[in-house]
Amino acid sequence: MTGPLTSQPGDELIVELLDIALDAARRAGELLRDGRPADLGVAATKTSSIDVVTEMDLAAEKLITDYLAERRPADGLLGEEGASTPGSSGVRWIIDPLDGTVNYLYGLPSWAVSIAAEADGETLVGVVTAPMRGETYHAALGAGAYVNGEPARVRPAPPVEQALIGTGFGYLTARRAAQAEVVRALLPEVRDIRRGGSAAIDLCDVACGRLDGYYERGLNPWDYAAGELIAREAGALTGGRPGAAADGELTVAAVPGLFEPLQRRLDELGAWHD
């Protein structure tokens, strides 16, 4: 593991979980990268291409869950593609085997494998690997965030009007229309808005200083569990609506000094509802 850990009870568990997460994410990322047909994006509108992406997604999740079952059979699981078991150890893994499936389908590089481990509702480790970027981001609770083993740190806070903000959109038409209205109002008030297509990578881009902030409605725990920890450990603030934690209504991550005004403005604009 890269990064300092203080000598506290539970550190050995965190080191073990992080090592497992890093290895599982690497293996799944290699499977997705090397197993993607070179011509997949050429027929991106064909059902057969969608099926290939689904098969790769399921194969990556099976690789991860089999590996976790081998290393820590008593742990619980929560996965995007249906893997869900309660476990008995008190540790639960939260897995997104392929975050950014449309990017993957079209041959865009911003897709990732996201793996987090939590205990008692608190995320202990998070790993996001983006094979086509050649980057792996990781964090352990209280030990900082890293990208390819080097410390990751958020940017200094800009004025709101100079902030570069990332976001994402849902798949339902009504939700997309509401999200478009939020963007319409917010865009003139900031430097610009980016839509990358992977929530996990967007959160890591906040951690690495490539975005000043990020928000999105409609995320599931597997979309943000690892990335949120990485962003926080890099110095970002995270949450949902004012006074609430990140959840399916709204997830916000931003540098200190920008977080509060961005969160407040998003709440005013109704970014938390359709």
Side-chain angles (χ1 to χ4, degrees):
M1 169 187 162
T2 302
L5 277 176
T6 55
S7 181
Q8 298 291 335
D11 283 353
E12 291 180 0
L13 172 63
I14 290 177
V15 170
E16 178 188 0
L17 296 178
L18 182 55
D19 286 344
I20 291 172
L22 284 164
D23 202 20
R26 177 187 58 79
R27 293 174 182 222
E30 290 174 352
L31 171 72
L32 290 164
R33 181 195 64 205
D34 298 342
R36 183 187 182 280
D39 61 348
L40 183 61
V42 175
T45 60
K46 294 186 179 178
T47 302
S48 59
S49 297
I50 306 294
D51 290 342
V52 170
V53 174
T54 301
E55 289 168 7
M56 295 301 297
D57 205 340
L58 291 169
E61 180 162 285
K62 185 176 188 304
L63 183 154
I64 295 167
T65 56
D66 286 353
Y67 183 73
L68 295 178
E70 176 187 334
R71 295 290 301 272
R72 292 187 55 87
D75 291 353
L77 290 169
L78 176 64
E80 182 183 17
E81 296 304 327
S84 184
T85 55
S88 59
S89 67
V91 172
R92 183 173 75 156
W93 295 91
I94 305 175
I95 304 157
D96 192 342
L98 177 52
D99 186 51
T101 52
V102 174
N103 287 345
Y104 184 80
L105 174 63
Y106 277 80
L108 293 167
S110 288
W111 56 267
V113 178
S114 175
I115 301 177
E118 67 172 17
D120 300 320
E122 184 171 46
T123 306
L124 301 180
V125 304
V127 172
V128 174
T129 187
M132 304 310 293
R133 281 187 167 197
E135 291 184 339
T136 295
Y137 321 87
H138 79 261
L141 185 64
Y146 296 83
V147 53
N148 288 351
E150 296 297 323
R153 197 70 192 163
V154 298
R155 296 172 62 88
V160 173
E161 62 271 18
Q162 291 298 313
L164 183 63
I165 306 298
T167 193
F169 307 123
Y171 292 107
L172 300 175
T173 300
R175 175 162 297 174
R176 292 168 71 86
Q179 290 171 324
E181 286 302 304
V182 173
V183 170
R184 183 190 62 78
L186 186 63
L187 182 57
E189 301 174 6
V190 298
R191 179 190 294 273
D192 209 345
I193 292 179
R194 295 285 182 268
R195 195 273 201 263
S198 163
I201 290 178
D202 285 341
L203 287 161
C204 291
D205 277 347
V206 173
C208 295
R210 296 166 181 164
L211 291 171
D212 297 305
Y214 161 78
Y215 76 93
E216 188 163 349
R217 166 163 167 74
L219 297 182
N220 293 293
W222 49 80
D223 295 314
Y224 64 81
E228 185 198 19
L229 178 65
I230 293 165
R232 281 194 282 113
E233 288 293 327
L237 300 177
T238 66
R241 297 190 66 190
D247 60 17
E249 281 193 337
L250 186 65
T251 297
V252 184
V255 300
L258 174 65
F259 176 81
E260 294 86 351
L262 176 61
Q263 183 188 48
R264 185 171 59 249
R265 184 64 177 128
L266 291 168
D267 197 57
E268 293 170 354
L269 293 173
W272 48 276
H273 66 79
D274 299 337

